[in-house]
Amino acid sequence: MKIFIIATLALIIYIAIDLIFDQQMWDANTTLTIYLQSNQFNGEKDMFLVFSYSLYVLPSIAGIAFLILNNKLGALLYGGMILFSVASNCLLKNIYHQARPFFIVEDIEPYECNKEFGKPSGHAMTSQAMCFLLPSILFPAIWKDQPNYKYPLYIRFLVIFLITFWTFMTGFSRVFMGVHSFGQIILGWAYQAYISIIYMIYFHHRILNYFKQCLQVGQQGISIRVINVAGLIVFSWTCVAILFLELNRNVFITPAVATQWMTAVYQKCENQTTLYTIQSPSVLQNICFSMSLYIWFMLSFVFGIKLSKGIYLDNQFRINYQKLSFWKKTLRILVLIILLALLIPFYFIKFNAVYAQAFGQVVPVSILGGLFITVAYQKLLSLFQISVPGDFLQIISSQAVASDGMSFEMQAKSS
């Protein structure tokens, strides 16, 4: 409780500082960005683009870990926290509804064409979540010795240096590219640091142990109460998101202001041919609202675990996965890729209204994504006979017996 109070007070103090000195930080950032863009060296833009776009590589680590490591549940929780970071950032952007620097500063050029609000920075939040939660959730021995594993000290220092450096450079790249002020970057780091600290200290191990306990042989699985709580959180989140969407559309952001900002996008961004309006679903408060609804993945994931009626014995998976042939391991990867590829067509559908895009694209993708991972994937593995004893949500019958002749009940006790 002491850490919670300290972290909450620290966040509140910084939010207050940010509000008080917002204009001063904005003015200083304008001077800095114009200087950086006017005095860049050869290859500097490409270097910063690498840091900016590398953000999309890290989630693949969660997918690889889910496929080949025994810490499958950790991989899914890591991916879920990334989605939570995205959803949180988008909700916060609609609360702050602050422009990006290139929207309103004539001399700042955008090296990436982002059309939603700028505060707090999404790259700052998600890069920090990806970099720092990766070792915390998937490779916890980086921070603290584990019963069966210990990293050398130099490996720990190297990893900590790399994730800190990469997080900083990702944030700084956004300032150079004219799409964020450093005030927006620092605020993003502050919010994500708070989320990560609270999650890791108070929630992660409880959630991990709860799921593992529920997925043992003979257990009843996820309780209806947990599903109801997840549903209440998602419903409340959606209501708050709708509230700030409507406030921005009708109160905070006038059509004149939206036109000014979207005209800057139209005139400054390369290959931009559409002059958006305040009603366009892919700009400003509208896209922030849609992306904030990735929170629906949380409900789908919990409900899918209940629906699957499977088990998870991570120690048994590690032993039996090594016995698979290279072909079967490859086939397991292809099955998941093909399954998730079924979600891609949703992103090719063009919507003319924000609610249609939110509930016709983001929510279905979130729900189906959760169900594909928790229900459909394991059923397909079972169908193609490439399921591994101890697999995440493995489907078994009451008479199922492991390949070595030991019943799953005995395996669960021995693990």
Side-chain angles (χ1 to χ4, degrees):
M1 183 58 70
K2 182 183 295 185
I3 295 177
F4 173 78
I5 294 173
I6 293 173
T8 302
L9 287 175
L11 178 63
I12 292 173
I13 290 171
Y14 184 76
I15 291 173
I17 292 173
D18 175 77
L19 291 173
I20 294 170
F21 296 101
D22 179 66
Q23 188 59 51
Q24 289 89 332
M25 287 192 291
W26 181 274
D27 293 339
N29 178 84
T30 299
T31 303
L32 174 63
T33 302
I34 293 175
Y35 174 81
L36 290 173
Q37 292 188 344
S38 302
N39 297 275
Q40 57 184 290
F41 55 79
N42 290 335
E44 184 176 6
K45 177 181 175 181
D46 293 332
M47 179 189 71
F48 281 121
L49 283 173
V50 168
F51 283 105
S52 182
Y53 287 122
S54 66
L55 186 72
Y56 306 104
V57 176
L58 288 175
S60 63
I61 297 177
I64 295 171
F66 176 72
L67 286 166
I68 66 176
L69 298 182
N70 61 304
N71 190 11
K72 289 179 174 293
L73 189 54
L76 291 175
L77 291 177
Y78 173 67
M81 283 303 296
I82 293 175
L83 281 179
F84 181 76
S85 177
V86 171
S88 301
N89 173 257
C90 291
L91 183 59
L92 287 168
K93 280 183 175 178
N94 263 359
I95 293 174
Y96 280 96
H97 52 269
Q98 188 181 82
R100 294 176 180 271
F102 83 92
F103 283 4
I104 55 180
V105 180
E106 184 177 352
D107 293 332
I108 292 180
E109 295 297 324
Y111 296 150
E112 187 175 294
C113 192
N114 300 106
K115 306 176 185 69
E116 73 274 21
F117 297 128
K119 187 175 187 177
S121 165
H123 273 67
M125 288 186 66
T126 50
S127 64
Q128 189 187 88
M130 291 177 189
C131 288
F132 284 92
L133 290 180
L134 179 64
S136 300
I137 296 177
L138 289 181
F139 308 102
I142 290 292
W143 303 108
K144 183 180 180 181
D145 291 347
Q146 300 299 302
N148 299 320
Y149 206 85
K150 177 181 179 180
Y151 285 104
L153 190 60
Y154 74 92
I155 293 292
R156 293 179 175 179
F157 278 122
L158 179 61
V159 171
I160 293 171
F161 170 77
L162 286 176
I163 61 179
T164 303
F165 174 75
W166 211 270
T167 300
F168 172 79
M169 290 300 292
T170 300
F172 190 69
S173 72
R174 307 299 286 172
V175 173
F176 170 83
M177 294 165 66
V179 294
H180 281 301
S181 68
F182 62 74
Q184 295 171 350
I185 296 293
I186 297 173
L187 187 65
W189 285 337
Y191 274 118
Q192 187 57 51
Y194 179 79
I195 292 172
S196 297
I197 290 171
I198 297 303
Y199 172 74
M200 289 305 304
I201 292 178
Y202 296 103
F203 292 99
H204 177 66
H205 294 291
R206 289 183 174 88
I207 292 173
L208 190 68
N209 293 333
Y210 174 76
F211 280 145
K212 284 186 175 182
Q213 181 62 36
C214 288
L215 297 176
Q216 296 296 306
V217 177
Q219 298 297 319
Q220 298 300 312
I222 302 296
S223 71
I224 297 298
R225 180 181 178 183
V226 170
I227 296 175
N228 289 338
V229 170
L232 179 61
I233 292 173
V234 170
F235 175 76
S236 302
W237 186 286
T238 303
C239 290
V240 173
I242 291 173
L243 171 64
F244 281 97
L245 167 69
E246 294 300 332
L247 286 173
N248 282 320
R249 295 175 73 181
N250 299 292
V251 180
F252 299 138
I253 309 299
T254 65
V257 170
T259 299
Q260 174 192 348
W261 294 356
M262 292 301 95
T263 299
V265 172
Y266 180 74
Q267 293 176 344
K268 292 184 176 182
C269 292
E270 295 182 7
N271 304 319
Q272 182 63 47
T273 58
T274 303
L275 180 58
Y276 293 103
T277 70
I278 198 171
Q279 302 300 329
S280 300
S282 57
V283 301
L284 302 179
Q285 66 281 335
N286 300 327
I287 189 63
C288 290
F289 166 70
S290 295
M291 294 183 67
S292 71
L293 297 189
Y294 278 118
I295 193 72
W296 279 79
F297 175 84
M298 181 180 74
L299 176 60
S300 175
F301 177 71
V302 174
F303 181 71
I305 291 178
K306 180 68 173 180
L307 193 63
S308 71
K309 298 179 180 180
I311 66 164
Y312 175 48
L313 304 172
D314 53 349
N315 290 332
Q316 294 301 322
F317 171 81
R318 182 179 65 253
I319 296 171
N320 290 285
Y321 181 77
Q322 297 173 354
K323 302 176 183 178
L324 285 181
S325 66
F326 174 79
W327 161 244
K328 287 188 175 182
K329 291 179 180 178
T330 303
L331 186 58
R332 286 170 62 92
I333 296 174
L334 291 176
V335 169
L336 182 60
I337 292 175
I338 294 172
L339 191 60
L340 295 180
L342 297 177
L343 301 175
I344 295 177
F346 283 94
Y347 291 99
F348 288 96
I349 303 174
K350 301 298 182 182
F351 295 95
N352 296 318
V354 59
Y355 285 110
Q357 177 167 304
F359 293 101
Q361 183 183 88
V362 175
V363 171
V365 165
S366 301
I367 293 175
L368 290 175
L371 293 178
F372 282 177
I373 292 173
T374 55
V375 181
Y377 181 54
Q378 194 52 242
K379 288 186 179 297
L380 288 174
L381 293 183
S382 180
L383 177 65
F384 293 120
Q385 298 182 346
I386 51 176
S387 181
V388 177
D391 223 335
F392 181 70
L393 300 180
Q394 182 189 11
I395 303 168
I396 64 168
S397 66
S398 59
Q399 302 298 321
V401 177
S403 58
D404 61 356
M406 184 185 295
S407 68
F408 278 96
E409 286 81 357
M410 292 177 65
Q411 288 190 45
K413 293 178 180 178
S414 66
S415 64

